[in-house]
Amino acid sequence: MCGIIGYVGGRQATPILISGLRRLEYRGYDSAGVSVIDPSGVTGDGRARVVRCRGKLAALEDKLTKEPAPGTTGMGHTRWATHGRPSDENSHPHRAGSITVIHNGIIENHLALRAELAASGAHFSSETDTEIFAHLVERAVQSGTTDLTTAVRRSLAKVRGSFAFVVMSDKEPGTLVAAKNSSPLVVGLGDGENYVASDVTAILSETRRVIFVDEGEMVTVTRQGVQITDFDGKPRVREPKTITWSAVQAEKGGYKHYMLKEIHEQPRAVADTLVGRVDLEHDDVLLDGIDLDPERIKRIVFIACGTSYHASLVGEFLVESLARIPVEVDLASEFRYRDPILGRGDLVVAVSQSGETLDTMEAIREAKKKGAQILAISNVVESSIPRLSDHAFYTHAGPEIGVASTKAFTTQLIATVLLAIYLGRRTGALPRERARELLAELLQLPNKMRDVVESGAQLQVLARRYGHSHGFLFLGRGAQYPIALEGALKLKELSYIHAEGYAAGEMKHGPIALIDETLPVVVLAPRGPNYDKVVSNLAEVRARQGKVLAVATKGDAEIGGHADDVILVPDSALELQPVLTVLPLQLLAYYVADFKGTDIDQPRNLAKSVTVE
Ligand code: AGP
């Protein structure tokens, strides 16, 4: 998830670009850069000046004081690394010949395109997928395509994946061409000047008249105006909208809190995490070049904290059921102090959204000392934990601003599913046909998630009904037990109400003493082998006047007779159900906290990344 901005007009572009990038840093801050050209030719050498560097925007501003970029046409980019570590060379904009490009998204077929271009003599200066598009457009221009718009259109035909591109050509210094597929893109309309950006945040101080570019649309932007067409060149007529949001609201995409925005970003985050990793041709998974040999893996040990620990507990179910490799899961803060028995046959999987959690970092240091192989699953490219590990597998959730982890969690679940399928196909425990079914269901998951996150109104009602309670109990069985733990953590860290997650079968061994009419009990009861047992747990609760909120599968006609409230989620493969059943729990926690008026994005006593022991 990167931030992009472009400007064509009569004013110096650089200050406008920097101001816009400052408001886009929440979308990524691994590196930043600008490309600026002077159409009048009075300043510069007739080529776009590219100034970029690793680090936050301040580093770029500092560099620009030494390397000014004059001109009235330009574009800027702030990066959240997905392909290629954060570095000066991997920073955007990328140049090839007379073309410079900035990009937000993932080019799925980047390896094939890179090989094809290299075979025809292209030389690359970065590890990124984006640079490939600059070469494609340059090659189209070189092959006699006169105008930039046509060159971009021809290049788009070769690209698969999610993208918002902005392209400049030294040969057309008063023009920007942009294109959108899945990643956000908006056009801003000024008086004798026009803009493009990832979202309105970047340009709201310049204009409130915008056009939200639709899927499969291209825009050609000059001082005089904006032409919109589809990728085949057919004109599109789009009415401008006037934005009434404040700049702060715009950064949250119009949502009240970052957390709510990030809950709604989960379908996109999951789709992005799947891009380039589902190999339907071979019914297999591509782990970004990671080569794990199950022959060498006698045991897998997940190590994590908090929400990432809950994702690891689900991972245990998935890897054991699909790959039949023994799995253990350990809290990082416990693992490192118990002199664990580990050796070369162990694969330690360190799960960490931030990649900076000190407990997890110290735990894998301990594991490395004992000879284990380390695989990091993280959301931040080149953060400390992946750098300390033998292998790194990245979720593509984009920066997670809300302290309570949501989109990082569901993308971690996806990462463990992919790992389990990858291993299962290699141990032979997962038949090809079953892998094919799971991969097909994985690709349908973002749409099913969208159904659920759009059902917030029901959770808002339940939050008001139960938000005054003194405590909550969350129950689940099997892979739903970690989801019960996660639901309880979300509720307590956001609303400060005590909540406990429990294995439903454990109720009769003590916690059932808690049950009375003042204690809401959230029970995860999706379709599956544990359904009947969970329903009998519901009956135990209701027999003691407990209030039951059941999360069940759409089409379940029985559950209503056992619960006071029912939240339905779409059916899916058993292994994928946790990705869906956690969503209503995130929304419940959010709306209870909103009802109580706590600080949702920065709950008391908490930090986004716990870098202390
Ligand atoms: C998640 O809602 C919590 N804020 C917290 O438990 C978090 O998951 C934990 O601190 C681990 O962080 P990490 O994934 O960045 O290592």
Side-chain angles (χ1 to χ4, degrees):
M1 186 161 103
C2 304
I4 58 180
I5 180 171
Y7 169 79
V8 188
R11 293 183 286 159
Q12 284 303 303
T14 299
I16 295 168
L17 300 176
I18 294 298
S19 160
L21 289 177
R22 195 169 294 118
R23 290 193 182 80
L24 290 172
E25 272 205 297
Y26 76 89
R27 297 180 65 86
Y29 35 76
D30 291 325
S31 62
V34 294
S35 170
V36 181
I37 191 164
D38 175 4
S40 70
V42 170
T43 54
D45 56 4
R47 279 168 56 86
R49 183 154 182 69
V50 176
V51 182
R52 60 186 189 165
C53 60
R54 175 172 186 174
K56 297 206 168 196
L57 189 56
L60 175 64
E61 290 181 273
D62 183 47
K63 192 167 184 181
L64 281 163
T65 57
K66 304 176 190 89
E67 302 172 30
T72 57
T73 299
M75 57 188 184
H77 183 275
T78 183
R79 184 172 185 237
W80 181 261
T82 53
H83 289 82
R85 58 195 164 68
S87 66
D88 290 354
E89 303 72 29
N90 288 336
S91 308
H92 299 214
H94 288 281
R95 176 195 279 283
S98 63
I99 301 296
T100 46
V101 172
I102 57 176
H103 169 219
N104 174 25
I106 299 170
I107 299 178
E108 185 168 339
N109 58 331
H110 67 98
L111 292 175
L113 289 173
R114 180 182 283 259
E116 183 195 318
L117 287 161
S120 57
H123 296 288
F124 296 95
S125 57
S126 82
E127 304 160 323
T128 67
D129 53 345
T130 305
E131 186 189 355
I132 289 157
F133 194 71
H135 284 275
L136 286 176
V137 177
E138 171 66 7
R139 192 169 65 168
V141 168
Q142 292 303 340
S143 65
T145 307
T146 48
D147 68 297
L148 181 58
T149 302
T150 307
V152 170
R153 181 170 299 119
R154 288 195 178 155
S155 306
L156 288 173
K158 296 177 177 299
V159 166
R160 280 202 327 273
S162 60
F163 53 78
F165 288 119
V166 184
V167 187
M168 280 172 68
S169 166
D170 297 346
K171 299 183 171 64
E172 293 183 48
T175 301
L176 293 178
V177 177
K180 171 194 165 43
N181 184 44
S182 297
S183 299
L185 187 68
V186 63
V187 167
L189 303 174
D191 183 5
E193 54 190 13
N194 293 299
Y195 311 80
V196 288
S198 310
D199 60 44
V200 293
T201 316
I203 53 176
L204 214 49
S205 57
E206 302 293 339
T207 178
R208 287 184 173 273
R209 291 179 63 235
V210 301
I211 295 171
F212 290 96
V213 181
D214 276 346
E215 293 303 341
E217 287 185 341
M218 281 179 66
V219 286
T220 300
V221 182
T222 62
R223 283 191 71 171
Q224 292 72 29
V226 174
Q227 279 72 43
I228 301 182
T229 70
D230 64 15
F231 286 0
D232 298 326
K234 226 175 285 131
R236 291 279 180 90
V237 179
R238 305 293 310 287
E239 282 309 307
K241 295 189 186 324
T242 301
I243 296 295
T244 55
W245 293 336
S246 69
V248 171
Q249 276 177 314
E251 208 165 278
K252 294 170 190 168
Y255 291 100
K256 192 175 174 185
H257 297 99
Y258 278 114
M259 182 187 173
L260 189 58
K261 176 170 177 269
E262 288 159 3
I263 287 176
H264 283 82
E265 281 177 346
Q266 291 181 102
R268 158 68 30 228
V270 162
D272 282 351
T273 300
L274 290 170
V275 168
R277 291 160 166 177
V278 173
D279 177 359
L280 291 176
E281 190 187 341
H282 303 98
D283 302 314
D284 199 356
V285 161
L286 303 168
L287 278 188
D288 294 3
I290 297 173
D291 183 13
L292 295 175
D293 174 6
E295 287 302 311
R296 280 193 53 203
I297 303 172
K298 298 292 166 271
R299 176 180 59 161
I300 289 176
V301 182
F302 281 93
I303 296 177
C305 302
T307 286
S308 300
Y309 170 73
H310 299 151
S312 301
L313 290 170
V314 177
E316 175 181 21
F317 277 94
L318 295 170
V319 172
E320 289 203 340
S321 69
L322 298 181
R324 306 307 293 161
I325 296 174
V327 177
E328 281 179 32
V329 184
D330 242 315
L331 284 168
S333 54
E334 290 295 313
F335 175 84
R336 50 190 292 233
Y337 296 113
R338 60 177 179 77
D339 190 11
I341 300 165
L342 270 183
R344 295 179 51 72
D346 291 311
L347 172 68
V348 164
V349 180
V351 182
S352 175
Q353 185 285 130
S354 63
E356 300 298 343
T357 299
L358 193 54
D359 282 327
T360 308
M361 193 132 66
E362 292 306 322
I364 59 176
R365 281 204 174 96
E366 179 77 9
K368 278 175 85 90
K369 265 190 273 177
K370 292 177 180 280
Q373 229 194 129
I374 316 289
L375 164 65
I377 294 177
S378 182
N379 192 42
V380 183
V381 174
E382 290 284 303
S383 53
S384 303
I385 289 171
R387 281 209 315 275
L388 209 52
S389 303
D390 301 297
H391 312 285
F393 187 76
Y394 291 108
T395 52
H396 294 156
E400 188 174 65
I401 310 296
V403 167
S405 187
T406 51
K407 61 179 184 171
F409 177 69
T410 44
T411 53
Q412 286 169 348
L413 294 182
I414 296 301
T416 57
V417 172
L418 292 171
L419 177 65
I421 294 172
Y422 173 93
L423 292 170
R425 293 284 282 120
R426 282 154 186 75
T427 59
L430 180 63
R432 179 164 182 162
E433 181 53 37
R434 179 76 189 117
R436 178 178 306 136
E437 290 162 5
L438 275 175
L439 293 173
E441 289 232 31
L442 260 178
L443 294 172
Q444 291 165 21
L445 212 43
N447 285 335
K448 293 182 175 180
M449 294 173 75
R450 206 162 281 115
D451 281 354
V452 185
V453 296
E454 298 309 331
S455 68
Q458 180 192 12
L459 278 304
Q460 211 164 6
V461 169
L462 295 176
R464 285 206 195 95
R465 184 174 305 159
Y466 298 105
H468 57 279
S469 305
H470 61 81
F472 280 73
L473 201 53
F474 289 76
L475 302 178
R477 281 180 184 264
Q480 297 296 331
Y481 165 40
I483 301 303
L485 295 174
E486 175 60 12
L489 175 62
K490 284 282 130 347
L491 189 83
K492 59 188 147 187
E493 69 176 327
L494 286 160
S495 69
Y496 317 150
I497 297 174
H498 183 66
E500 264 194 285
Y502 244 92
E506 273 296 290
M507 277 290 292
K508 52 191 175 295
H509 300 290
I512 201 160
L514 292 170
I515 304 298
D516 63 25
E517 68 286 354
T518 69
L519 187 79
V521 181
V522 181
V523 185
L524 296 153
R527 176 189 61 75
N530 296 327
Y531 180 81
D532 293 340
K533 287 203 175 54
V534 171
V535 168
S536 62
N537 295 141
L538 290 182
E540 289 161 20
V541 172
R542 295 200 83 198
R544 293 157 180 82
Q545 288 74 50
K547 295 290 178 212
V548 172
L549 291 76
V551 178
T553 303
K554 270 183 183 161
D556 180 341
E558 182 190 341
I559 196 76
H562 302 284
D564 297 276
D565 296 282
V566 177
I567 304 139
L568 295 173
V569 300
D571 196 3
S572 77
L574 211 56
E575 297 83 352
L576 307 183
Q577 285 177 350
V579 181
L580 296 169
T581 54
V582 73
L583 301 174
L585 308 192
Q586 294 171 344
L587 286 163
L588 178 66
Y590 172 80
Y591 284 116
V592 169
D594 194 36
F595 170 72
K596 291 198 63 184
T598 55
D599 184 346
I600 288 174
D601 284 329
Q602 284 159 348
R604 69 184 182 195
N605 313 334
L606 291 181
K608 184 59 189 169
S609 177
V610 183
T611 53
V612 293
E613 291 182 281

